[in-house]
Amino acid sequence: MAEAGALSPLPGRDGCPADDAVKRYEQNVKLSGIKRDIEELCEAVPQLVSVFKIKDKIGEGTFSSVYLATAQLQAGHEEKIALKHLIPTSHPVRIAAELQCLTVAGGQDNVMGVKYCFRNDDHVVIAMPYLEHESFLDILNSLSFQEVREYMFNLFIALKRIHQFGIVHRDVKPSNFLYNRRLKKYALVDFGLAQGTHDTKIELLKFVQAEARQDGCSRNKCHGVIGHKGSLSRPAPKNLDQQCTTRTSVKRSYTNAQIHAKPGRDGKEGSVGLSVQRSVFGERNFNIHSSISHESPAEKCIKPSKTVDVISRKLAVKKTAVSAKALNSVTRKATSSCLTVLTCDCFGTDRVCSICLSRRQQVAPRAGTPGFRAPEVLTKCPDQTTAIDMWSAGVIFLSLLSGRYPFYKASDDLTALAQIMTIRGSRETIQAAKAFGKSVLCSKEVPAQDLRKLCERLRGLDSWTPRLAVDPPGHTSGGPASENTDPQASLGQASAAQRSEGSLSGGANAGCPRVITANTEGWDTVPDVTYDLLDRLLDLNPASRITAEAALLHPFFRDMSS
Ligand code: ADP
Ligand code: MG
Ligand code: ZN
């Protein structure tokens, strides 16, 4: 959600005087905002002050803010800590589940661990070891082929680990996989969207898993229908009375604000202040229409909110029945935040009442990032497995091989699905969807692309694509590409994206030339096994998609060991 890179100061990197002035101004505004946020955090969770020196804010998203802090150790030296302050309106079970993923599965095999957790009222702060990391976009084109192999290998080590625990991360993307290039250290973070497999070893994920069913249909749209016009600005009401009365409205503003917040979030992803759109697809330059059906062809993903209510009521009953034994003390503590709501009857006790348990989760915005979602997620297949994380890893791999990030850029699921079709083929997508019980309609047929050719073309490695040819800044390209169904059309789209990258980079810097130094090391001899692995990750059918364990044994990683 929050992208650290986006907040890292960029002191006049491009060396243009006019830009520098603007940047200095923006930085000052940002600094005073950060200072205020740190003060507010210290007020909200005062016990932090005696343990940490909070230095900076390194990430801010819809559901959390992350700070860099230092802790004074007895030995005399300081230890760097990342403090993740979860938004106070997060569901207690959700918070506890995130924490449990970190404590049970984390701390080894490239999965982030946790050091402490603090709570005051409904403010929860998770303290983790700090891992300094790169912005994906900044380093993307400077990675050697060997570094890409190492990156993917380490990602699969992390995924194998969490999948063994029956955790489906559901938000695998570069900003959630921290990479320290110099130290060759990696860490999978952010279990804020995680769900459990049917046999998950993470007790608390059994609860969020149930809620995901509701999530499946209701995310984005159904909740948006509620229609509260709220803004997202300052989510944390300070005093408790206010807190109780405003909780509902605050929550709903979130679900609504998501519609506005999401594109920003996606665009911001590791972008360090540059609003360069490097995705292969833009929203508007895309005109394949598709629709998905399950029960009836006319039904899209929008269902009446009534359905959702019925489901959530059922859920409330179910959860109450199992609550006592399954919720640990962390949950109880976290849950006590809502205790002052008048109708609640667990205030001051150590259990969680049914009212607190049945508080609706913020399911709507917690949907991951469309560009990384697997086809079975996009088509709302109810049976989602760890395979969805492997798809997301495949999308990261696609970025690494093509040099484009984000690769898919879509703010809704159908657009994302249509974009997948242009790479993997419409017939192939429709056929795979049938295998998992979804019927997808597509207005025109697009062929599957050869992954090697696609990546080499986007990277500019092939001999005939002009690298960084010039278009007027802001020119949206690629629009008519999918109008045409012959193979050249999709080629045209890709090279149009290439052009738009060049022009937008120039445009963003207002005429200041920006030198892009690409690392060519190893890129001239990319072996076929590379694209074989990519093909297996981007397998449209989750049932046959490669697992993390199998990926580690793939010939692409020959002579690498963990
Ligand atoms: P969110 O749920 O808001 O996305 P994350 O857990 O993904 O929260 O954290 C947001 C950002 O904060 C990450 O993308 C990363 O840049 C930074 N971050 C999170 N945890 C750590 C950590 N342990 N060390 C360093 N940076 C971190
Ligand atoms: Mg995140
Ligand atoms: Zn209660």
Side-chain angles (χ1 to χ4, degrees):
M1 293 157 212
E3 324 305 350
L7 283 150
S8 315
L10 244 194
R13 190 172 60 170
D14 298 316
C16 301
D19 273 8
D20 278 355
V22 173
K23 274 182 191 148
R24 261 199 308 275
Y25 171 76
E26 284 173 352
Q27 207 169 317
N28 283 340
V29 172
K30 205 154 70 185
L31 279 177
S32 64
I34 290 176
K35 215 174 140 227
R36 193 188 54 218
D37 290 346
I38 292 175
E39 280 163 14
E40 282 180 7
L41 174 63
C42 293
E43 267 174 53
V45 192
Q47 63 267 49
L48 292 176
V49 182
S50 54
V51 189
F52 302 107
K53 272 197 218 118
I54 305 175
K55 305 271 186 181
D56 196 4
K57 187 173 190 176
I58 52 174
E60 179 174 272
T62 316
F63 298 102
S64 79
S65 297
V66 180
Y67 297 84
L68 167 63
T70 54
Q72 199 67 48
L73 301 175
Q74 285 105 325
H77 74 278
E78 283 186 335
E79 188 185 1
K80 282 184 174 172
I81 299 286
L83 298 175
K84 179 169 179 174
H85 179 210
L86 303 166
I87 63 149
T89 49
S90 295
H91 194 286
V93 177
R94 186 72 263 178
I95 295 175
E98 177 169 357
L99 201 50
Q100 204 170 50
C101 289
L102 291 165
T103 51
V104 177
Q108 56 175 292
D109 291 345
N110 302 331
V111 181
M112 180 54 70
V114 60
K115 288 195 109 82
Y116 320 95
C117 185
F118 300 85
R119 186 189 71 90
N120 187 40
D121 294 338
D122 46 3
H123 292 272
V124 175
V125 173
I126 301 175
M128 301 166 271
Y130 174 78
L131 178 62
E132 194 176 344
H133 53 283
E134 327 286 336
S135 144
F136 190 73
L137 190 54
D138 279 1
I139 59 159
L140 179 57
N141 281 292
S142 68
L143 294 173
S144 68
F145 181 67
Q146 177 59 17
E147 284 175 304
V148 167
R149 282 178 81 213
E150 288 163 5
Y151 182 101
M152 292 307 297
F153 191 73
N154 282 283
L155 175 58
F156 294 133
I157 289 175
L159 291 177
K160 178 182 170 189
R161 168 91 184 162
I162 65 162
H163 292 169
Q164 276 170 345
F165 282 87
I167 301 171
V168 185
H169 186 283
R170 287 182 78 236
D171 201 14
V172 172
K173 56 179 179 178
S175 66
N176 288 335
F177 186 59
L178 312 184
Y179 171 40
N180 185 310
R181 191 177 186 179
R182 190 175 50 90
L183 300 174
K184 290 194 185 299
K185 279 186 147 190
Y186 309 80
L188 182 66
V189 299
D190 196 357
F191 291 85
L193 280 173
Q195 279 176 15
T197 56
H198 65 277
D199 56 351
T200 184
K201 296 180 180 69
I202 310 296
E203 274 304 304
L204 290 164
L205 283 181
K206 291 174 183 165
F207 296 90
V208 296
Q209 187 183 31
E211 272 153 319
R213 296 289 166 266
Q214 165 193 357
D215 173 287
C217 141
S218 64
R219 76 161 62 116
N220 305 345
K221 279 133 192 164
C222 297
H223 287 259
V225 171
I226 298 166
H228 285 248
K229 289 205 181 84
S231 78
L232 196 58
S233 48
R234 308 252 99 219
K238 287 259 175 48
N239 68 62
L240 263 182
D241 329 339
Q242 189 196 353
Q243 153 85 43
C244 289
T245 50
T246 55
R247 181 178 293 281
T248 313
S249 59
V250 169
K251 268 165 72 181
R252 289 193 179 157
S253 346
Y254 268 95
T255 56
N256 199 308
Q258 177 254 352
I259 296 156
H260 310 288
K262 223 160 55 177
R265 180 191 154 164
D266 295 347
K268 197 170 71 167
E269 179 94 26
S271 69
V272 197
L274 283 173
S275 55
V276 185
Q277 196 201 342
R278 283 160 165 257
S279 56
V280 175
F281 302 97
E283 291 290 343
R284 258 157 301 163
N285 60 15
F286 203 85
N287 53 14
I288 289 178
H289 303 288
S290 59
S291 66
I292 306 155
S293 61
H294 192 52
E295 291 102 16
S296 84
E299 182 205 51
K300 279 202 183 172
C301 48
I302 305 169
K303 283 188 182 164
S305 46
K306 209 173 176 183
T307 320
V308 179
D309 286 344
V310 171
I311 297 168
S312 60
R313 266 202 300 278
K314 268 193 209 145
L315 197 71
V317 174
K318 196 172 147 206
K319 278 192 301 190
T320 312
V322 277
S323 65
K325 66 169 188 287
L327 294 177
N328 66 14
S329 63
V330 177
T331 331
R332 285 197 290 267
K333 276 187 195 159
T335 313
S336 66
S337 60
C338 61
L339 297 180
T340 42
V341 177
L342 281 178
T343 43
C344 161
D345 67 359
C346 65
F347 180 67
T349 73
D350 66 349
R351 48 180 202 92
V352 188
C353 76
S354 57
I355 292 156
C356 290
L357 272 176
S358 63
R359 284 173 50 205
R360 186 190 284 201
Q361 238 186 104
Q362 271 118 38
V363 286
R366 289 198 170 267
T369 311
F372 290 92
R373 283 189 207 146
E376 68 272 23
V377 180
L378 295 171
T379 54
K380 312 202 185 306
C381 179
D383 195 27
Q384 295 173 18
T385 66
T386 52
I388 71 172
D389 291 339
M390 298 308 289
W391 175 276
S392 307
V395 177
I396 298 179
F397 197 24
L398 188 56
S399 273
L400 290 167
L401 295 174
S402 67
R404 299 312 179 88
Y405 179 77
F407 194 89
Y408 297 116
K409 191 159 168 44
S411 60
D412 66 272
D413 287 352
L414 285 183
T415 308
L417 190 67
Q419 292 178 352
I420 287 173
M421 284 185 189
T422 65
I423 303 296
R424 304 301 276 156
S426 54
R427 250 189 313 140
E428 290 81 351
T429 307
I430 290 165
Q431 200 183 336
K434 204 183 267 172
F436 52 79
K438 292 288 177 179
S439 151
V440 175
L441 299 173
C442 181
S443 61
K444 67 186 55 171
E445 198 172 315
V446 283
Q449 301 205 36
D450 179 281
L451 293 172
R452 176 189 282 274
K453 283 187 188 147
L454 172 78
C455 291
E456 291 185 347
R457 197 168 58 230
L458 293 173
R459 222 170 218 286
L461 285 176
D462 58 342
S463 48
W464 54 270
T465 305
R467 178 98 180 128
L468 301 182
V470 183
D471 253 3
H475 180 255
T476 326
S477 49
S482 42
E483 211 66 79
N484 211 325
T485 49
D486 73 279
Q488 281 305 318
S490 26
L491 295 180
Q493 183 171 32
S495 49
Q498 185 87 51
R499 283 197 301 277
S500 95
E501 174 188 308
S503 61
L504 283 170
S505 312
N509 290 319
C512 307
R514 183 164 173 253
V515 182
I516 299 168
T517 44
N519 187 333
T520 50
E521 214 183 309
W523 288 106
D524 45 350
T525 52
V526 174
D528 286 339
V529 287
T530 312
Y531 296 103
D532 180 76
L533 176 59
L534 180 62
D535 183 58
R536 284 163 194 247
L537 291 164
L538 297 181
D539 185 338
L540 295 157
N541 186 351
S544 49
R545 197 174 299 146
I546 196 168
T547 63
E549 196 176 0
L552 288 169
L553 301 172
H554 189 276
F556 178 62
F557 298 120
R558 192 169 294 143
D559 52 70
M560 287 183 75
S561 60
S562 41

